[in-house]
Amino acid sequence: MKIFKPLFTLLLTLSVTTIAQAQSSYSIVSPDGRLAAAIELKDKIYYSLSFNDEALIAASPISMELYDGTVWGAYPKARKKNSTSVNEMLTPLYGKRKQIKDHFNELTITFRGNYTLTARMYDEGFAYRFGYTKKGEILVKDEEATFNFAKDYTIWSSLANGFEHSYENFYNTRKISEVSDSLAYLPILVQTDNGLSMLITESDLEDYPGFHITNDPDVETGLKAAFPSVPTAWEPGGHMRFNLIVKNRTDYIAKTQGPRNFPWRIVKIATKDAQLLDTDIVYKLSAPQDESIDFSWVRPGKVAWDWWSAINLIGVDFRAGINTQSYKYYIDFAAENDIEYINLDEGWSDQYDLMKLDDQIDLMEIMQYANQKDVGVFLWCVHWPLDDKLDQAMDQFVALGVKGLKIDFMDRDDQLMVDYYHRIARKAAENKILVNYHGAYKPSGLHRKYPNVINRESVRGLEYNKFSMPHGTTPEYAASIPFIRMAVGPMDYTPGAMTNAQQANFSVFFERPMSQGTRCQQLAMFVIYDAPLQMLADAPTAYKTDPVILDYLKEVPTVWDETVALDGKVGDYAVIARQSGDTWYVAGMTDWDARTLEVDFSFLENGRYKAQIFQDGINADRIGNDYALLEKTIEAGSKQQFKLAPGGGFVLKIVKL
């Protein structure tokens, strides 16, 4: 029988469409076949997740409710589907490795109503996102994102008092069934009884609010997303009026434009805790680098920081403090030790009007001196005064030769604040200025699109030992964040304390702060913590008292060619190896429990290596400053044990013989 080609094409199209409409279940598996997701179309869209045929997340409804009553996902009717597989290498401008393998399977379902659902599956995790295919305004009233876990697992989370906070709280652990209606901010970690982990977070967050997690009252072992609504009124308040306190909000969470894709909702999978120490899943799911902007000028590095040490310079012939002489001393210190930047946290401007320079220091003289010495300067500022006079301020920063901004006290992730992050990142990039966000929500991929976003806080850092009584920030927390917070992106913990105290003799002291744990734990943080811009928290003269430590800090990189997660247990200990050129650094750290950790050197190429080893001294359990410096020959493939004091650590610098 002869069929005319146009008629045959029409029949084929109708056939495919009918099949798509009739299909009510879909599946997608990871490239290695171990992780599988099922998507069911019923009264809503449901997804479920299993690993090696073991159920992890039971059927969980997802949808998006628009302000006009439309619900994407309610009684869904599929029109077509598209499946694809990708296996390629990404080349970041800088980071934990020179290349990132991006290997995934992807399924996109297009529904009646002009919306889509895309599911993506990696060996290390599952992600999904909604999309809209038409032009025009989209008013999103709410989004339903649920996680109905198969059993009553353990959850690690940081609680928040509402949607306005600093993202700097300790983690607590409990069973999912014990989660109340309080909010927890991302990322959160859920662990099964057999040691498998699920990290919940998001990526490609743009023109939309971030989400928090709360309990699902309808499901005993369920969690669900909670979103802040769009603010309509705010006023300065909070600590020293540095925040913009929201006074009124709308009854919708986002006003945006189509066509667009919405943020990815991510479930990162790890079969052992060490896998959480090295993941690029948020980066891989982020929008690619903005090709309209030149980022070749971006320079990661270390920063001599003023605020934590209270500028406690000793042995100098001038009065130390917020003054021109002190900052010129910081510049000299940086120049002498190949430290790329210094930071001015206070004293350079009126904190509420950045165009009014403060007379405590001569900023012009400081900037000229720094430029002569090839030392970059970061200026700290509160976010809303920067926004008030953004164009003027940026022009002034460029004229002065400012290299970076440390922007603080945003403390929100509603749509307007998310937009602020993107707007400032782009404006700074156009003016060749780096950005370090403090008082910030978790990384959600912005650093891939704008690599000038060189670091971010959203962590309870070393600064809490200055002012937060009685606990400050502890080694338990320090041994938790590499597995949870660091899994979503770089973090500005600001290590480097030279006064190191054990638990019995630690105290919170604002003007003369100390760290908890040992000197070697502070050194280990420079390797374990991912920080392309890494602060040296203590005063220059504190480092000069120990030239051996200073030499280490001068040499340790902030970006790497390769990273290998060696061992770890959330909240207990972590061991990581990182490579820069021909040199490997290996570091380990522990909580308040003394322990012996074994390092397997099978990641090294065959041969013999010389290792310079910093390890806790024999008296480090009494005096945290105590350390020993050793040299040892190491064979590739061998195993070595290292003893760590309470709150302790070790670092090896390894070069091939």
Side-chain angles (χ1 to χ4, degrees):
M1 179 177 69
K2 184 176 180 180
I3 301 179
F4 290 105
K5 186 174 181 180
L7 178 59
F8 175 75
T9 302
L10 176 61
L11 290 173
L12 180 61
T13 302
L14 290 173
S15 175
V16 170
T17 302
T18 301
I19 292 171
Q21 289 175 345
Q23 189 170 350
S24 61
S25 63
Y26 301 82
S27 63
I28 181 172
V29 298
S30 59
D32 67 6
R34 296 198 297 170
L35 186 61
I39 297 172
E40 302 287 338
L41 310 185
K42 299 179 181 178
D43 57 321
K44 292 181 178 179
I45 300 173
Y46 294 83
Y47 79 95
S48 57
L49 197 63
S50 63
F51 184 79
N52 284 341
D53 297 324
E54 177 187 353
L56 298 177
I57 297 179
S60 301
I62 54 176
S63 66
M64 292 185 69
E65 180 185 0
L66 307 189
Y67 203 76
D68 64 4
T70 301
V71 178
W72 297 341
Y75 298 99
K77 302 294 183 184
R79 293 179 53 243
K80 63 179 180 179
K81 69 173 183 178
N82 182 62
S83 298
T84 187
S85 295
V86 171
N87 189 359
E88 62 184 8
M89 300 300 292
L90 306 177
T91 305
L93 192 63
Y94 58 82
K96 297 179 293 183
R97 51 179 44 87
K98 280 189 172 181
Q99 288 194 309
I100 297 171
K101 185 176 182 180
D102 196 24
H103 188 194
F104 61 86
N105 296 325
E106 186 172 276
L107 168 69
T108 298
I109 308 170
T110 302
F111 296 92
R112 289 183 183 175
N114 303 301
Y115 68 94
T116 62
L117 177 71
T118 299
R120 185 179 290 187
M121 192 70 82
Y122 294 90
D123 290 343
E124 64 167 323
F126 165 75
Y128 76 85
R129 73 190 314 178
F130 281 98
Y132 188 60
T133 60
K134 288 186 66 177
K135 290 183 178 180
E137 183 179 272
I138 311 168
L139 203 57
V140 183
K141 186 173 180 62
D142 202 2
E143 179 181 342
E144 180 182 34
T146 63
F147 307 87
N148 295 338
F149 294 96
K151 295 180 182 177
D152 196 10
Y153 303 133
T154 299
I155 177 175
W156 292 69
S157 62
S158 294
L159 299 183
N161 184 20
F163 287 113
E164 298 176 55
H165 56 89
S166 64
Y167 307 87
E168 297 169 5
N169 291 332
F170 285 123
Y171 296 113
N172 63 64
T173 57
R174 52 198 164 154
K175 292 294 186 180
I176 296 172
S177 61
E178 298 169 347
V179 174
S180 67
D181 59 358
S182 60
L183 296 174
Y185 57 87
L186 299 180
I188 66 163
L189 183 66
V190 176
Q191 292 192 304
T192 70
D193 294 337
N194 61 5
L196 187 142
S197 296
M198 291 170 276
L199 188 88
I200 310 299
T201 192
E202 62 184 337
S203 188
D204 202 14
L205 178 62
E206 183 172 1
D207 197 24
Y208 200 77
F211 76 87
H212 287 54
I213 284 286
T214 188
N215 72 320
D216 188 335
D218 298 325
V219 182
E220 184 180 14
T221 58
L223 302 173
K224 66 177 183 178
F227 295 84
S229 300
V230 175
T232 57
W234 48 85
E235 63 183 25
H239 176 66
M240 295 182 65
R241 298 175 63 248
F242 286 164
N243 300 104
L244 289 182
I245 306 299
V246 175
K247 310 302 292 184
N248 191 46
R249 294 180 183 270
T250 65
D251 57 352
Y252 54 85
I253 66 171
K255 180 187 288 187
T256 184
Q257 294 288 322
R260 64 160 296 175
N261 287 313
F262 291 86
W264 291 102
R265 283 66 186 90
I266 302 171
V267 183
K268 152 71 184 171
I269 302 292
T271 57
K272 55 184 180 180
D273 288 6
Q275 293 172 350
L276 296 166
L277 295 172
D278 181 24
T279 172
D280 297 300
I281 194 166
V282 169
Y283 185 92
K284 290 186 284 192
L285 288 162
S286 304
Q289 182 176 312
D290 189 332
E291 296 297 334
S292 68
I293 301 176
D294 170 30
F295 290 101
S296 62
W297 53 272
V298 171
R299 181 170 68 152
K302 292 184 281 286
V303 186
W305 187 25
D306 56 344
W307 184 81
W308 189 81
S309 70
I311 316 182
N312 287 328
L313 302 176
I314 60 173
V316 296
D317 60 359
F318 56 87
R319 182 73 172 173
I322 301 173
N323 56 54
T324 302
Q325 284 179 294
S326 295
Y327 284 120
K328 290 176 81 171
Y329 188 91
Y330 269 77
I331 292 167
D332 287 337
F333 170 74
E336 291 163 4
N337 293 286
D338 298 321
I339 294 168
E340 290 83 356
Y341 304 99
I342 71 161
N343 191 94
L344 276 66
D345 256 14
E346 295 181 79
W348 67 272
S349 77
D350 182 316
Q351 292 177 327
Y352 309 103
D353 185 348
L354 303 188
M355 302 308 297
K356 293 181 180 179
L357 299 184
D358 198 309
D359 60 6
Q360 291 185 79
I361 64 173
D362 187 334
L363 184 60
M364 300 291 188
E365 182 179 346
I366 290 170
M367 293 304 307
Q368 289 173 0
Y369 194 71
N371 291 334
Q372 290 169 6
K373 297 273 187 173
D374 194 28
V375 174
V377 175
F378 268 75
L379 299 179
W380 173 89
C381 64
V382 177
H383 75 285
W384 62 265
L386 174 64
D387 208 21
D388 278 351
K389 296 182 177 179
L390 182 58
D391 290 335
Q392 289 175 272
M394 285 293 179
D395 288 345
Q396 176 172 267
F397 297 149
V398 170
L400 288 169
V402 172
K403 301 302 182 185
L405 296 176
K406 180 181 172 186
I407 306 171
D408 209 346
F409 285 96
M410 289 76 72
D411 292 355
R412 301 183 351 240
D413 65 352
D414 52 57
Q415 184 187 19
L416 296 189
M417 189 55 74
V418 171
D419 288 349
Y420 175 88
Y421 280 63
H422 282 259
R423 183 160 44 84
I424 297 299
R426 182 174 184 85
K427 189 74 172 179
E430 291 169 346
N431 288 280
K432 297 187 177 180
I433 290 176
L434 301 173
V435 175
N436 181 9
Y437 284 122
H438 273 228
Y441 63 82
K442 82 283 173 191
S444 304
L446 185 63
H447 58 293
R448 180 179 177 188
K449 185 174 183 180
Y450 298 111
N452 64 309
V453 179
I454 196 76
N455 210 346
R456 189 182 294 221
E457 194 178 32
S458 57
V459 68
R460 186 183 183 91
L462 189 70
E463 66 178 3
Y464 274 78
N465 289 333
K466 282 174 68 81
F467 55 76
S468 183
M469 298 184 68
H471 301 298
T473 189
T474 65
E476 281 88 357
Y477 181 77
S480 301
I481 52 179
F483 302 88
I484 306 174
R485 163 60 184 83
M486 194 176 78
V488 301
M491 59 184 188
D492 197 16
Y493 181 90
T494 69
M498 293 292 283
T499 301
N500 317 109
Q502 284 293 339
Q503 193 168 16
N505 50 31
F506 169 78
S507 63
V508 173
F509 194 177
F510 191 86
E511 292 297 329
R512 298 187 66 184
M514 62 189 76
S515 75
Q516 298 186 54
T518 71
R519 173 74 55 81
C520 284
Q521 180 167 105
Q522 290 293 300
L523 300 185
M525 290 175 178
F526 284 86
V527 176
I528 293 174
Y529 291 170
D530 178 18
L533 185 78
Q534 182 68 278
M535 298 281 183
L536 275 63
D538 225 319
T541 52
Y543 296 122
K544 287 184 176 182
T545 62
D546 194 332
V548 174
I549 296 293
L550 182 54
D551 284 344
Y552 164 80
L553 294 175
K554 286 164 54 175
E555 294 170 2
V556 64
T558 65
V559 295
W560 306 91
D561 297 338
E562 188 54 86
T563 291
V564 181
L566 297 177
D567 196 8
K569 185 177 180 183
V570 181
D572 290 346
Y573 65 93
V575 185
I576 290 179
R578 300 193 194 270
Q579 182 186 26
S580 176
D582 296 328
T583 304
W584 281 90
Y585 287 79
V586 180
M589 62 191 300
T590 183
D591 60 3
W592 277 131
D593 292 331
R595 66 180 80 238
T596 298
L597 296 177
E598 184 174 78
V599 175
D600 183 344
F601 291 98
S602 59
F603 63 89
L604 295 173
E605 293 182 357
N606 289 337
R608 297 169 68 244
Y609 294 78
K610 182 180 76 172
Q612 181 188 57
I613 304 170
F614 291 88
Q615 65 182 43
D616 294 327
I618 194 168
N619 295 306
D621 60 334
R622 296 169 52 218
I623 304 168
N625 290 22
D626 188 32
Y627 73 92
L629 178 62
L630 310 173
E631 285 195 359
K632 182 181 287 189
T633 299
I634 290 176
E635 295 278 353
S638 67
K639 296 180 180 180
Q640 303 278 341
Q641 291 188 334
F642 300 90
K643 289 185 177 181
L644 285 73
F650 67 85
V651 178
L652 285 75
K653 179 184 176 183
I654 303 172
V655 293
K656 195 167 187 178
L657 290 172

